[in-house]
Amino acid sequence: MLTKPNPSSTTLYCSPDEMESHAVRFIMAEKSIESEIFNLKIDEMPEEILELNPCQSLPTLFDRGMVLYDTSVVTEYLDERFPFPPLLPVDPIDKAEKRLLIFRFTRAPGCWYELVSTIENGNKKEAEKAKKILKSSLIELIPLFAYKPYFKSDEMTIVDTCLAPLLWRLKKLGIDLGPKARPIHDYASRLFSKDSFQESLTDCEKEYN
């Protein structure tokens, strides 16, 4: 069990191999946030942090005396607390669209993150079904990956920080999108080549791709 967190520092408690934690680490690296990052299991967190997180989940952020634990809450808080570079647009319509995309990919029933969890943790039949759905869903959106340098955007947004961890894991998941998915491969390469993305990788994640 870790000791009580430093109240003057930004502290992230996260999983070394889960996509939600990877997305938050990517954001923190992109914004060059000075912080303490602990990659651990949920039962290794300080007791006072666990008590303030009723969901008992990772990632969990401690900052300014607050404990934040929903991934979307954490990512948007970090974007507002550390505004450069901005990862959500100022325009309310554009911002709402990005929030919907994040919900669609990471939290909606049957979302891509849920499919990955099923591939990794479900039985063989469930995993194969989830793998086919994820592959076809990605291929279906090839035109959107080709549309702009980032996902429906000229600049990187939180949407990209959520997609990058998933795309990084495709090889580990046994998903080959094939040559027709070149726009997705090019998009992924742009994200993977960023110093901040490489910095966000844990030792075990470096072995995925």
Side-chain angles (χ1 to χ4, degrees):
M1 191 76 66
L2 294 177
T3 58
K4 186 174 181 179
N6 184 345
S8 63
S9 69
T10 300
T11 306
L12 178 68
Y13 302 95
C14 57
S15 164
D17 56 4
E18 292 179 355
M19 290 185 296
E20 293 87 349
S21 293
H22 190 178
V24 174
R25 288 196 302 271
F26 188 10
I27 289 172
M28 296 182 78
E30 178 68 13
K31 290 176 173 288
S32 300
I33 298 172
E34 292 187 13
S35 61
E36 291 184 291
I37 297 178
F38 297 100
N39 293 297
L40 40 64
K41 296 179 181 178
I42 189 70
D43 58 5
E44 296 173 332
M45 288 172 57
E47 289 185 5
E48 57 268 36
I49 299 296
L50 278 174
E51 290 172 359
L52 294 172
N53 179 351
C55 293
Q56 303 281 291
S57 60
L58 296 171
T60 296
L61 183 75
F62 176 82
D63 188 51
R64 293 182 170 181
M66 294 190 307
V67 174
L68 303 175
Y69 46 84
D70 176 82
T71 302
S72 290
V73 172
V74 171
T75 54
E76 290 203 32
Y77 172 80
L78 289 172
D79 195 48
E80 293 180 357
R81 167 93 159 83
F82 304 93
F84 184 82
L87 294 176
L88 277 176
V90 175
D91 179 76
I93 294 177
D94 289 343
K95 183 181 290 187
E97 180 193 41
K98 298 298 183 290
R99 284 171 168 160
L100 280 174
L101 286 170
I102 294 167
F103 174 76
R104 176 182 173 183
F105 295 148
T106 68
R107 302 197 315 283
C111 69
W112 290 357
Y113 272 41
E114 184 178 296
L115 290 171
V116 171
S117 179
T118 300
I119 295 169
E120 293 179 330
N121 304 306
N123 59 45
K124 185 175 180 180
K125 184 177 179 180
E126 293 170 338
E128 286 301 316
K129 181 180 178 181
K131 193 180 298 186
K132 289 178 181 178
I133 294 173
L134 179 57
K135 180 176 179 178
S136 63
S137 297
L138 282 163
I139 290 174
E140 184 180 338
L141 294 189
I142 285 175
L144 294 184
F145 283 100
Y147 179 52
K148 289 189 174 182
Y150 297 98
F151 197 85
K152 300 189 72 175
S153 176
D154 291 317
E155 304 292 337
M156 192 172 85
T157 71
I158 290 178
V159 177
D160 304 296
T161 65
C162 291
L163 287 176
L166 185 150
L167 296 175
W168 182 256
R169 286 160 171 75
L170 289 183
K171 183 177 180 180
K172 173 178 176 285
L173 297 172
I175 296 177
D176 182 1
L177 300 178
K180 60 184 176 183
R182 180 62 182 271
I184 297 180
H185 297 311
D186 291 345
Y187 165 82
S189 293
R190 279 192 290 275
L191 294 174
F192 300 164
S193 65
K194 294 179 71 69
D195 290 342
S196 55
F197 181 82
Q198 292 298 317
E199 183 182 334
S200 73
L201 294 168
T202 61
D203 289 341
C204 64
E205 287 169 342
K206 291 175 182 177
E207 305 297 324
Y208 293 169
N209 198 306

